Amino acid sequence: MSSDRGRKSTLVAERRYAGGESGSGGSGGGKPPRKPRRDKAPRRRPQRKRPTGPLGWLSALIGGTLRMVIRVVWGIGWRFGLACAIIIGLGVGYYAAQLPPVSDLVDGRARGSVTLLDRDDATFAWRGEQFGGMIRASEVSPNLRNAVVATEDRRFYMHPGVDPIGIASAIKINVSEGRSPLSGNGGSTITQQTAKLLCLGRPYVESEWESETAYEADCRRTTLWRKAQEAVYAMAMELRYTKEEILTIYLNRAYLGSGTRGFEAAAQQYFGHGAEAVSPAEGAMLAGLLKAPTTYAPTNNLARSQGRANIIVGLMEAQDFLTPAEAEEARANPAQLSQAASARTGGYFADWVMDSGPEFFTRDTTEDVIIRTTLDQRIQKAAEDALTDVFETRIAEGSEAQAAIVVMSADGAVRGMVGGRNVRASGVFNRATQALRQTGSAFKPFVYAAALDLGMRPFDLVDDSPLTINIPGSGSYTPDNYDHEFKGMVTLTQALAESRNIPAIRISEHVGRENVRTVASQFGIQSDLAAGPALALGASASTLLEMTGAYAGILNGGSSVTPYGLVDLRLQGEEQPLMGTGGGMGERVIREEAAEELIWMMSRVVAEGTGTRARIDGWEVAGKTGTTNGARDAWFVGFAGNYVAGVWMGYDDNTPLTGVTGGGLPADIWHETMVRVLEGQQVTPLPMRTPGAGSGEMIASGDIQTGPLPATDQLIQSTLDEILNGAAD
């Protein structure tokens, strides 16, 4: 007992067992003791059955190989994909950092444009690359914006610059149609097309390229590497710009045929109004040009362009940009060309004006230029319609004969010009300004002008009898009249009206060839003039424009004129012209009285002479016919009202005309032109003076002795016999 008290007893927790006996001092009811923990045995993988037999071994070999390949491909693939993603990301970031503001990208032209206005300030022609000014996608007509999206990229607002669905669809179509995957449909988005228009940010540098055409061709090249670059650049644009900004660049840069860059220029040229006013039918037509601008240009083939537009209308309807009713309205009322675009008048005139202005403001301009001209579109159309009508109704089918017309005011302002049978042509040979042709008897008025200016009168007499011309060193020439008849003494008026050759030579020799040459050159005949007797019969060559301008000097009372078409030239957006008229009235050549008497004499040509087919009921008409050696050239130049008009007809290769003289088809063309020009105009008399009785002065008769000809004129003179004997009027 004593020993127990001195030692602290150890406390032992009682263990109780639910439902069992308690231990010493316990009362029962605890948790049973934990079972000893056993280490978990490792899970064994199910053992693969070993292959048995040849098929089993083969199957195992194939399966193992496939598993190994998959592991290798996956291991390489995700690493390669990651590397590509990094490279693409770097490329996108690099391009995005280099992209300039949108306003710097909308006009990528290397050259400027020229817009030509008629005398009423209405546009009639365009030259160069037209750019109508920057337009924003948010400001153009929704019809235009929707048409472009429906046609070129219906998922434009959803993709990041590249459309995998579109690419896959394009490849499928190309392969199914037997083409290579990259030929035909490209699946390019509007963003990718814009990247191509920007040439992936590479600007045109003239010194690095043979031409701008070569540069653009290189930008349009399609290779796998170029497509990859294009895709990266497109994604960079999506990163740098908004969708509306990308569409803005596209709408301004796209080429749409007929020299138009951007939808604003195209809308103005084809429809006569801006892109903000485009209708559904017009929007469809413009969007349809994107596939093939030259092929579908409405100025080339309106019906084909309208057919293409109908397809676009269907796309717009399918994509809910148009209701069925709106689509039906667009199909029923297809887009039409503006009057200026439809008429396409004045192509030859526009070419001439472009050639007459300074190159740095016309053909080679880097600016946008506005040129006001003298063209009268009503008169231009009259000349075109007249030429077309005569060739369709009076010329044998298959004939390759050509003709040209010039109509101008008495001060030299050209109002209309046709340079060939194809009246809609431009950029081709202009027979009104570029063809140097012998003038024949159309030159004779200058002989009579010199005579009248020196004091002769219309009723003075000249000897129409056989003539021998002795030229030392060249021999004797005995010219003839076209009818092989000689009428003895005739008045100057009769000689001119009947276009008799002998009197013209006698008058020229009487007043002096140099005086005749001086009068002709001062009136504007700038070509080399023959020095021998052939001068009087039009052996020299000239252009129709020169001849018509020289006749204008007679109409205005005897003062020279310089034909002109350019009134003034200014830069687009500027009010002050940079240059003005380069022609018009010049110095006096002959006395006004002489000019008025000459006009009266020329009126007799039409009233009773070789030019009767040029008569116009109710109008005074004066003019002169001309037919050259072997009928290779036929002319009629004359006046009516306030206008002078000239007509030339012949073959480009100098083939003789069959049965044509200046008093025939050229007079017909002149008549048809002037009837249209004068329609609705107040009748205006010609400024002519009816002469009194002449003095009866007689020009010397008999043989004419001439001095030796200059060497340069001997070749011309050697054809005198043929000219004299072959001239028809």
Side-chain angles (χ1 to χ4, degrees):
M1 296 277 306
S2 59
S3 60
D4 292 340
R5 290 176 185 163
R7 187 180 55 187
K8 188 175 182 178
S9 61
T10 301
L11 297 177
V12 179
E14 295 182 350
R15 295 183 179 177
R16 302 182 184 276
Y17 302 94
E21 295 179 351
S22 61
S24 161
S27 59
K31 289 183 179 179
R34 292 181 179 178
K35 294 181 180 180
R37 183 174 182 179
R38 292 185 298 178
D39 291 338
K40 211 171 188 180
R43 179 180 295 177
R44 295 182 179 179
R45 293 182 180 178
Q47 293 185 350
R48 292 177 184 165
K49 293 182 179 180
R50 292 186 177 182
T52 58
L55 290 177
W57 284 105
L58 180 60
S59 176
L61 178 62
I62 293 174
T65 302
L66 287 175
R67 284 191 294 272
M68 182 179 68
V69 169
I70 291 172
R71 288 196 203 98
V72 171
V73 170
W74 170 250
I76 295 175
W78 73 266
R79 291 175 176 82
F80 178 77
L82 179 61
C84 288
I86 293 173
I87 293 172
I88 291 173
L90 291 173
V92 169
Y94 171 78
Y95 278 135
Q98 303 296 316
L99 288 170
V102 171
S103 58
D104 293 348
L105 298 176
V106 294
D107 185 3
R109 298 171 300 159
R111 299 191 181 279
S113 66
V114 178
T115 300
L116 294 109
L117 310 179
D118 66 11
R119 66 183 301 185
D120 298 318
D121 289 340
T123 300
F124 73 91
W126 302 264
R127 293 293 184 271
E129 292 191 350
Q130 298 294 315
F131 180 69
M134 178 179 174
I135 53 172
R136 297 187 181 277
S138 58
E139 298 171 353
V140 303
S141 166
N143 298 313
L144 174 58
R145 189 169 58 248
N146 293 339
V148 171
V149 171
T151 305
E152 297 299 312
D153 187 1
R154 61 191 181 92
R155 285 181 290 274
F156 173 66
Y157 292 102
M158 295 181 284
H159 59 65
V162 179
D163 184 7
I165 299 175
I167 294 174
S169 176
I171 292 174
K172 180 181 178 182
I173 293 172
N174 292 336
V175 172
S176 67
E177 293 181 356
R179 298 189 296 265
S180 68
L182 295 180
S183 298
N185 291 279
S188 294
T189 64
I190 286 177
T191 314
Q192 287 176 278
Q193 293 180 48
T194 306
K196 183 175 289 187
L197 290 173
L198 296 174
C199 205
L200 305 182
R202 182 180 49 165
Y204 171 68
V205 179
E206 188 172 2
S207 60
E208 297 178 2
W209 295 93
E210 180 181 343
S211 65
E212 189 176 359
T213 302
Y215 163 77
E216 292 185 346
D218 184 75
C219 292
R220 291 192 297 268
R221 279 194 308 116
T222 300
T223 63
L224 283 174
W225 174 240
R226 182 62 66 88
K227 293 294 288 184
Q229 288 179 295
E230 185 182 293
V232 172
Y233 197 90
M235 288 187 285
M237 292 182 66
E238 294 278 352
L239 182 64
R240 176 71 170 80
Y241 306 128
T242 65
K243 290 286 188 179
E244 290 300 304
E245 289 175 328
I246 293 170
L247 191 56
T248 291
I249 299 171
Y250 185 71
L251 293 177
N252 283 278
R253 296 281 296 228
Y255 178 69
L256 297 165
S258 297
T260 59
R261 295 280 181 177
F263 283 84
E264 177 67 10
Q268 290 177 3
Q269 182 162 326
Y270 295 139
F271 308 130
H273 57 70
E276 78 286 349
V278 167
S279 68
E282 292 171 341
M285 180 174 286
L286 291 176
L289 299 176
L290 292 166
K291 180 177 182 180
T294 301
T295 301
Y296 290 112
T299 49
N300 290 340
N301 190 318
L302 180 59
R304 181 165 56 202
S305 184
Q306 290 173 338
R308 170 69 178 162
N310 279 340
I311 296 174
I312 309 306
V313 169
L315 292 175
M316 295 174 71
E317 180 183 9
Q319 296 174 42
D320 296 328
F321 288 126
L322 292 177
T323 65
E326 290 171 333
E328 185 58 34
E329 172 70 16
R331 293 189 188 97
N333 298 282
Q336 301 292 333
L337 288 170
S338 67
Q339 181 177 355
S342 178
R344 288 172 44 189
T345 59
Y348 292 103
F349 178 90
D351 291 342
W352 170 61
V353 170
M354 292 287 288
D355 289 337
S356 64
E359 287 189 11
F360 53 86
F361 278 135
T362 54
R363 295 183 298 277
D364 296 330
T365 181
T366 57
E367 304 285 348
D368 290 320
V369 176
I370 306 293
I371 295 179
R372 287 200 308 126
T373 74
T374 60
L375 184 76
D376 186 317
Q377 291 200 58
R378 183 186 65 82
I379 293 176
Q380 177 66 34
K381 188 174 187 303
E384 293 176 354
D385 289 350
L387 187 62
T388 300
D389 179 65
V390 170
F391 269 87
E392 287 180 350
T393 60
R394 307 181 200 181
I395 306 294
E397 187 176 353
S399 170
E400 295 183 0
Q402 284 288 348
I405 304 172
V406 172
V407 182
M408 68 174 65
S409 300
D411 65 349
V414 177
R415 302 303 183 188
M417 177 184 291
V418 183
R421 289 175 61 177
N422 183 1
V423 298
R424 296 287 186 268
S426 63
V428 298
F429 184 69
N430 188 339
R431 295 161 188 84
T433 62
Q434 295 175 295
L436 278 169
R437 309 296 293 232
Q438 282 192 341
T439 57
S441 294
F443 184 84
K444 288 177 181 175
F446 306 116
V447 175
Y448 289 89
L452 294 172
D453 193 52
L454 291 174
M456 296 182 68
R457 303 298 304 278
F459 290 128
D460 286 348
L461 300 176
V462 61
D463 187 8
D464 180 23
S465 61
L467 173 67
T468 297
I469 302 175
N470 297 312
I471 303 175
S474 298
S476 298
Y477 289 85
T478 303
D480 194 6
N481 287 317
Y482 73 94
D483 59 4
H484 309 297
E485 296 180 1
F486 302 94
K487 295 192 174 182
M489 304 305 296
V490 296
T491 65
L492 270 64
T493 301
Q494 181 183 355
L496 179 63
E498 297 178 2
S499 197
R500 308 199 70 76
N501 294 329
I502 305 302
I505 294 175
R506 289 189 184 279
I507 294 170
S508 176
E509 296 300 310
H510 180 73
V511 302
R513 295 177 213 149
E514 284 305 313
N515 286 328
V516 175
R517 287 166 58 89
T518 297
V519 168
S521 61
Q522 288 183 351
F523 268 131
I525 305 299
Q526 300 300 318
S527 307
D528 290 337
L529 295 171
L535 171 70
L537 303 180
S540 305
S542 184
T543 67
L544 178 62
L545 181 65
E546 276 186 355
M547 286 292 288
T548 308
Y551 273 55
I554 299 172
L555 178 62
N556 68 35
S559 295
S560 66
V561 302
T562 300
Y564 71 99
L566 189 154
V567 176
D568 62 47
L569 180 153
R570 58 185 170 84
L571 297 181
Q572 191 174 62
E574 300 290 335
E575 295 295 330
Q576 191 67 27
L578 297 177
M579 61 175 292
T581 300
M585 300 277 289
E587 297 181 355
R588 177 165 295 282
V589 179
I590 60 175
R591 295 178 296 111
E592 185 173 2
E593 180 182 359
E596 292 174 349
E597 288 183 340
L598 179 57
I599 294 172
W600 180 84
M601 291 173 62
M602 294 170 69
S603 73
R604 299 299 89 199
V605 174
V606 176
E608 56 199 31
T610 58
T612 56
R613 286 164 71 167
R615 295 172 183 166
I616 300 175
D617 291 342
W619 289 84
E620 293 178 347
V621 176
K624 184 66 186 76
T625 58
T627 310
T628 63
N629 178 28
R632 289 182 172 86
D633 302 278
W635 303 70
F636 187 90
V637 188
F639 328 113
N642 296 316
Y643 300 103
V644 53
V647 175
W648 167 87
M649 187 174 178
Y651 286 93
D652 289 338
D653 61 0
N654 278 321
T655 298
L657 294 161
T658 302
V660 177
T661 65
L665 287 171
D668 289 339
I669 295 172
W670 191 94
H671 172 269
E672 293 300 323
T673 298
M674 294 306 294
V675 164
R676 291 168 169 82
V677 168
L678 299 173
E679 184 178 2
Q681 304 294 302
Q682 183 177 356
V683 174
T684 304
L686 289 175
M688 59 187 181
R689 184 189 299 253
T690 303
S695 64
E697 179 182 349
M698 184 176 69
I699 304 301
S701 61
D703 292 351
I704 296 177
Q705 299 290 333
T706 69
L709 291 175
T712 55
D713 292 299
Q714 290 183 12
L715 180 61
I716 295 177
Q717 186 61 43
S718 68
T719 63
L720 183 60
D721 275 341
E722 190 177 5
I723 294 172
L724 293 174
N725 292 311
D729 53 22

